[in-house]
Amino acid sequence: MKKSLKLLLTGVILTSLLPSLSANAQAKLRGKVSIDGSSTVFPITEAIAEEYRAVQPRVRVNIGVSGTGGGFKKFLVKETDINNASRNIKDKEVKKAKKNGISYVEVPVAYDGLTVVINKENSWASNLTPAQLKMIWDRDSKVKKWSDIDSSWPAKKIKLYGPGTDSGTFDYFTKAINGKSGRSRANYTKSEDDNVLVKGVAGDKYAMGYFGYAYYKENSKKLQSVAINNVKPTEVTINNGSYKPLSRPIFIYVSKDGYKKPEVKSFVGFYLEKAKEIVGDVGYIALKDIEYKKAKESLKTLEK
Amino acid sequence: MMKEKTEILINSNQIEKKEKSFATIHPGRRRAEKAFKWISRIMTWSTVFILLVLLYHLGKEGWEYIDWQFLDSYPSRKVAKAGIKAGLWGTVWLIITTAVITIPIGVASALFLEEYGVKGKIGKLIEINVSNLAGVPSIVYGLLGLAVFVRWFNFERSILSGALTLGLLIMPVIIVATREAVKAVPDSIRFGAYALGAHKWQVVFYHVLPVALPGIITGVILALSRAIGETAPLIIIGALAYVSFVPESVMDEFTVMPIQIYNWASRPQEEFHQLAASGIVALLALMLTLNFIAVFIRIKTTKRNIQ
């Protein structure tokens, strides 16, 4: 008994003292880049961090996914250097930043097109107007059947799927379609996991839902996207802005205190350099070159 | 425990028998017995069946990606390059730290409560508290951990914060299991040791604890198995989703396998869902390994006691 306890203890102490053997002599920079925030932006930042590791292996890039709002809570008490955000910073958060003496820059990194999807077999609703979408999704919406929108459509119940109310996608969609962020009907199937929404719409002829373009692109064989005012969401229409009003930029917020650290500065520089070729890999749409250039310019204000 | 119960049952049956013939009270008792046996059997096998179906599905989906590369790579946007190294090491670090912190505290608390005891109202209060703690949802521990360990103690988003939080979560389980194990140690052992002039702590440490050890280890296995699968409290205290290094001390940031798995499962690409299944297989394998080690220790210690 005593012996085995001793053995166990020595084992534990040894493991905790064992240093990592993955030293790399060529690395120039060391340090830590703390990132948190939106799960929508996460795949992009993760992909960039993965590439960055090949360049600067001794810089530890940590990414959490607390959601845009949860991430800002940490960002605004200086716990993180960068916040992934799928929406702009809110007035409340700006006030808090001022109170805590935090300066930051908003850096757009890619476009996402919120995609309204219907079942493959749906032959009537492949083109909708924002007004029709509002009829369906607005608070206290009276729409229960497809025929409530257009009397020539089937008198079948619409089954609605959408993201939960904590998500940036929900905020953006409700603002763009219903006029106010958070203004939405409540009686639809909500899930934070977009794959659940995909399955729901793919399995029901009379269903409708909305989520980020990446999830549509991956499941385009199972789903049909809805054109808004005759424009279908594609890489081209999202990038050139003709897919309205549901294409949105997504951001990273960089704090001034963080940017003073050479490793954070180097990471953000690398991010903007590589974003264009990487965002497509994870299902997002790159900004125009001039927009990346502008983003780089805006970072200079942090150097003062 | 069980033995005592059945004895009591038999006794009460005998008492009834004296008053009326047992057969007249329960005319169809043989058929009832048979039916009950079958129902129990079906229930047991259906549990096993569900487990087997689960394992089959996981194995079928997850097996493809499991190789050394998977275990020795960091997360990647490309499925072929992605691996669970950060989560695997994070989980190992976290569980060992949790065990080192929790087991001594839990076992010592239980020994104290059982062998020395606190009398009166305070004793009852402690007892109620311990059993209440066992029922608190894990996310609440996450909030507590964030407020106390991460912010107040300033341990930040480290393995130590995570281990302390999980420690709180599983402490009641360990305490309750240890108390039951210690309770089951026959008094004759204690009296024997006292009779030979042993001091109380000698009795507890050299006689009660070794006999109770197998029971304690079972409780510890259950508790740590629960801790290994926890996600919610760790996300709250700020465990990360992307980490590209192996922790080197308990003050390092970390991720754990369940978070990595969840992250993959919520990706749009189908291949990442398979990767999540591979992650689950790896997690199960790790858990079984830890359990195996614990069982091994249990067998070893039990043998020595018999000698």
Side-chain angles (χ1 to χ4, degrees), chain B residues 43-64:
Chain B
M43 293 298 162
T44 311
W45 280 107
S46 59
T47 329
V48 175
F49 178 72
I50 291 167
L51 182 69
L52 286 178
V53 169
L54 187 75
L55 286 177
Y56 171 73
H57 266 271
L58 278 176
K60 207 177 100 192
E61 268 202 57
W63 199 249
E64 195 187 327

Side-chain angles (χ1 to χ4, degrees), chain A residues 1-5 8-9 12 15-20 22 32 34-36 42-43 46-51 53 59-66 73-74 77 79-80 192-195 214-215 218-219 222 278 281-283, chain B residues 74-78 81 93 96 100 103 146 150-151 156-157 205-206 209-210 213 235-250 252-253 259-260 262-271 273 297 301 304:
Chain A
M1 158 72 206
K2 244 161 95 189
K3 221 181 195 176
S4 59
L5 248 183
L8 194 76
L9 274 179
V12 167
T15 10
S16 58
L17 291 177
L18 206 72
S20 149
S22 64
K32 201 165 77 176
S34 292
I35 308 172
D36 208 321
F42 174 79
E46 188 202 41
I48 301 275
E50 182 198 344
E51 293 296 315
R53 191 164 178 271
V59 176
R60 294 176 160 194
V61 182
N62 303 325
I63 315 168
V65 270
S66 310
K73 271 184 201 141
K74 290 176 182 163
V77 293
E79 283 180 4
T80 52
E192 298 297 343
D193 182 354
D194 291 337
N195 290 313
Y215 284 85
E218 244 357 275
N219 296 287
K222 293 186 233 164
I278 280 178
D281 282 3
V282 285
Chain B
Y74 293 110
S76 166
R77 69 181 186 282
K78 297 193 179 91
K81 274 167 108 195
W93 268 88
I96 290 177
V100 168
I103 296 172
L146 179 69
V150 178
R151 301 244 159 96
E156 299 187 330
R157 314 199 274 186
F205 198 78
Y206 291 108
L209 192 58
L213 203 57
I235 287 183
I236 300 251
I237 65 150
L240 299 153
Y242 173 83
V243 172
S244 57
F245 55 88
V246 168
E248 287 164 13
S249 85
V250 290
D252 274 339
E253 281 143 321
I259 293 181
Q260 184 65 63
Y262 179 75
N263 176 3
W264 281 333
S266 59
R267 292 274 179 130
Q269 294 86 354
E270 186 62 39
E271 305 90 74
H273 304 166
I297 296 174
T301 48
R304 196 175 308 166

Side-chain angles (χ1 to χ4, degrees), chain A residues 118-133:
Chain A
I118 50 178
N119 191 273
K120 270 272 172 196
E121 287 173 42
N122 183 322
S123 56
W124 57 91
S126 55
N127 181 37
L128 292 171
T129 63
Q132 284 172 321
L133 282 175

